[in-house]
Amino acid sequence: MVIRYFFRLILGLLLLNSSAALAESNSTYKLASGDVIRINVFGEKDLSIEEIRLNDAGIFSYPFIGDVRAKGKTAAEIEQLLTESLKGDYLVDPRVSVSVLTYREFFISGEVKEPGGYPFQPGLTLRRAVALAGGLTERASTGRISIIRDQDASRTPEQATLDTVVMPGDTITIDQGFF
């Protein structure tokens, strides 16, 4: 009986910790083209949107407001923008929540078995990204990995290791090793 209680307590703490990490990543995550978000306005079914994908410019259309530029903003910033826009003319005290449903893909090419685009997952490292791509080929070099960050306007490749954190939109290239 005590063991079961202890197990449930540990499991509960682990789940709480993982949801806190996800909430933290959502609070600093900058939206961009390809992200899918959910907008909920408490008590207003017509203003709540279950699923909306940001277009190529990082914009979505919202009732009564029109086009909303989400690119480069966090979900909390979109919540605030929608709350301010709906307040007064449309609603007295709107309660808006915005959450990220699907993150944009990251891309991996070079010496992996299945190169291509894969859905981003919070906490993703290059090691896990390689696993999603079927693993390394026989010719792969773990010392010659470059990553181009989607957020980097200069698109300059930087050296990476298998422990490097992967972000949505990143492009990863794994080169051949010389034998």
Side-chain angles (χ1 to χ4, degrees), residues 45-119:
K45 188 175 180 180
D46 293 340
L47 295 176
S48 297
I49 301 173
E50 285 298 314
E51 186 174 304
I52 188 164
R53 181 178 299 277
L54 304 184
N55 70 15
D56 290 343
I59 296 172
F60 66 92
S61 184
Y62 191 76
F64 302 119
I65 296 172
D67 287 344
V68 176
R69 182 172 172 78
K71 184 176 184 175
K73 294 184 171 83
T74 64
E77 290 171 331
I78 299 298
E79 284 177 8
Q80 183 178 6
L81 185 141
L82 293 176
T83 300
E84 290 171 4
S85 298
L86 291 172
K87 194 174 215 171
D89 291 339
Y90 303 107
L91 300 172
V92 177
D93 185 25
R95 286 183 251 153
V96 179
S97 69
V98 176
S99 55
V100 180
L101 294 179
T102 307
Y103 298 90
R104 60 193 176 278
E105 293 183 324
F106 70 91
F107 302 89
I108 188 165
S109 64
E111 295 300 315
V112 289
K113 293 181 181 170
E114 298 174 27
Y118 292 90

Side-chain angles (χ1 to χ4, degrees), residues 13 68 78 87 120 147-148 153:
L13 288 173
V68 176
I78 299 298
K87 194 174 215 171
F120 173 78
I147 189 166
I148 298 174

Side-chain angles (χ1 to χ4, degrees), residues 139-172:
R139 297 181 185 179
S141 170
T142 57
R144 299 186 62 213
I145 301 171
S146 63
I147 189 166
I148 298 174
R149 300 288 184 184
D150 189 44
Q151 303 153 344
D152 180 13
S154 69
R155 309 294 290 162
T156 306
E158 55 186 66
Q159 283 301 110
T161 67
L162 291 175
D163 295 320
T164 300
V165 174
V166 175
M167 299 303 295
D170 284 354
T171 302
I172 302 157

Side-chain angles (χ1 to χ4, degrees), residues 1 5 16 19 26 29 39 46 48 62 68 86 113 118 126 128 132 134 140-141 160 171:
M1 186 71 146
Y5 174 75
L16 181 64
S19 65
N26 273 343
Y29 177 73
I39 301 170
D46 293 340
S48 297
Y62 191 76
V68 176
L86 291 172
K113 293 181 181 170
Y118 292 90
L126 196 59
R128 294 170 88 194
L132 288 172
S141 170
T171 302

